[in-house]
C-alpha cells in the first residue's frame, strides 16, 4: 500500500508541477528531488538529462526559431519549459527507482497484468539494443566514427520499432482473448 501512496503522490506532484509557471520554484523543486534521491542522485540526474536531450533540444530550437522570427523571444519561457521537463523526468526516474509498480498495483489484476507486460517489453527492448551494440562493438577494431554509430542507432531503432509493432499486435490479441478489452 505504501508503493500505491507514492504513485498517488507522484501523480499529484506532476499536476502541481504543470501548474507552476515560475522557473525559480521549479528549480527549487528540482533541487529537492535531487537531494531526496540520496545515493542515486547523480545517476538519476544523468539519466534524466540524457533521456530528454534530443526532445528538449528539438523543442527549444523550434521555439527559438519561431520566437526570433516573430520577435517574441523570451529566455524565461525557454528556461521554464526545460526546467519543467527536467523536473518531471527526474521525478519519474526517482519514482521508478523507488517503488515496485507490480506490487503497488496489485489491487487490480488488470493493472498488474499490464505492468508485467510493460516490464517484459522494456527488458526485451533493452536486450535487443544491448545485443546490437555488443555485435557492433565486437566487429570494430577501433572506436567507430560518429557516422557509423549513427547508422547503428538507425538500425537499432528500426529493430525496436519492428519488434514493438509485432509485440503490440500479439499482446493486443492475447489481452482481447482474455477479456481485458470490451469491444
Amino acid at each position: 500500500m505504501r508503493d500505491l501512496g507514492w504513485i498517488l503522490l507522484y501523480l499529484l506532484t506532476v499536476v502541481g508541477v504543470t501548474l507552476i509557471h515560475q522557473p525559480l520554484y521549479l528549480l527549487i523543486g528540482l533541487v529537492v528531488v535531487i537531494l531526496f534521491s540520496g545515493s542515486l542522485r547523480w545517476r538519476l540526474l544523468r539519466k534524466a538529462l540524457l533521456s530528454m536531450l534530443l526532445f528538449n533540444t528539438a523543442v527549444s530550437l523550434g521555439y527559438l526559431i519561431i520566437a526570433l522570427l516573430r520577435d517574441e523571444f523570451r529566455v524565461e519561457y525557454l528556461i521554464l519549459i526545460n526546467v519543467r521537463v527536467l523536473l518531471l523526468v527526474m521525478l519519474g526516474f526517482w519514482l521508478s527507482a523507488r517503488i515496485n509498480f507490480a506490487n503497488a498495483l496489485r489491487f487490480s489484476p488488470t493493472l498488474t497484468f499490464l505492468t508485467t507486460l510493460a516490464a517484459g517489453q522494456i527488458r526485451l527492448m533493452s536486450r535487443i539494443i544491448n545485443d546490437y551494440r555488443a555485435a557492433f562493438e565486437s566487429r570494430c577494431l577501433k572506436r567507430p566514427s560518429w557516422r557509423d554509430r549513427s547508422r547503428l542507432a538507425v538500425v537499432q531503432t528500426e529493430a525496436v520499432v519492428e519488434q514493438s509493432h509485432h509485440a503490440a499486435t500479439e499482446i493486443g490479441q492475447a489481452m482481447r482473448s482474455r477479456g481485458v478489452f470490451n469491444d
Side-chain angles (χ1 to χ4, degrees):
M1 209 56 188
R2 187 184 71 114
D3 287 344
L4 182 58
W6 281 110
I7 290 176
L8 295 175
L9 180 63
Y10 167 76
L11 293 174
L12 289 172
T13 305
V14 166
V15 171
V17 166
T18 59
L19 295 174
I20 297 172
H21 301 294
Q22 296 296 323
L24 178 63
Y25 296 140
L26 294 172
L27 278 170
I28 291 169
L30 181 61
V31 169
V32 168
V33 171
I34 290 171
L35 291 175
F36 278 110
S37 296
S39 62
L40 297 175
R41 76 175 47 103
W42 301 120
R43 193 181 96 202
L44 293 179
L45 184 60
R46 180 180 181 274
K47 194 173 171 182
L49 287 168
L50 289 175
S51 68
M52 63 177 263
L53 182 67
L54 182 62
F55 174 78
N56 267 40
T57 301
V59 169
S60 296
L61 286 176
Y63 168 74
L64 186 65
I65 291 168
I66 291 171
L68 289 175
L69 288 173
R70 293 181 176 176
D71 199 31
E72 297 173 356
F73 177 71
R74 289 184 19 235
V75 73
E76 304 84 26
Y77 180 73
L78 194 59
I79 292 170
L80 173 73
I81 60 174
N82 283 288
V83 172
R84 179 178 286 147
V85 170
L86 180 58
L87 176 56
L88 290 170
V89 171
M90 189 70 181
L91 279 168
F93 283 137
W94 181 55
L95 180 73
S96 65
R98 184 171 183 82
I99 70 163
N100 179 340
F101 283 94
N103 187 32
L105 301 173
R106 70 176 175 218
F107 67 90
S108 168
T110 303
L111 289 176
T112 302
F113 179 65
L114 291 174
T115 303
T116 304
L117 284 176
Q121 289 303 303
I122 290 168
R123 284 193 181 103
L124 176 64
M125 298 307 154
S126 294
R127 194 194 82 224
I128 289 171
I129 290 170
N130 288 334
D131 287 351
Y132 270 88
R133 186 178 299 127
F136 181 72
E137 288 173 0
S138 71
R139 289 174 176 82
C140 295
L141 298 174
K142 59 181 180 160
R143 179 168 166 75
S145 68
W146 184 86
R147 188 175 183 183
D148 291 336
R149 289 183 306 211
S150 298
R151 286 183 186 153
L152 172 66
V154 169
V155 170
Q156 284 177 327
T157 303
E158 288 172 351
V160 167
V161 168
E162 183 179 323
Q163 177 62 35
S164 297
H165 181 265
H166 176 71
T169 303
E170 294 293 320
I171 290 169
Q173 290 173 353
M175 291 172 68
R176 190 162 277 112
S177 71
R178 289 174 177 84
V180 173
F181 301 121
N182 294 328
D183 29 328

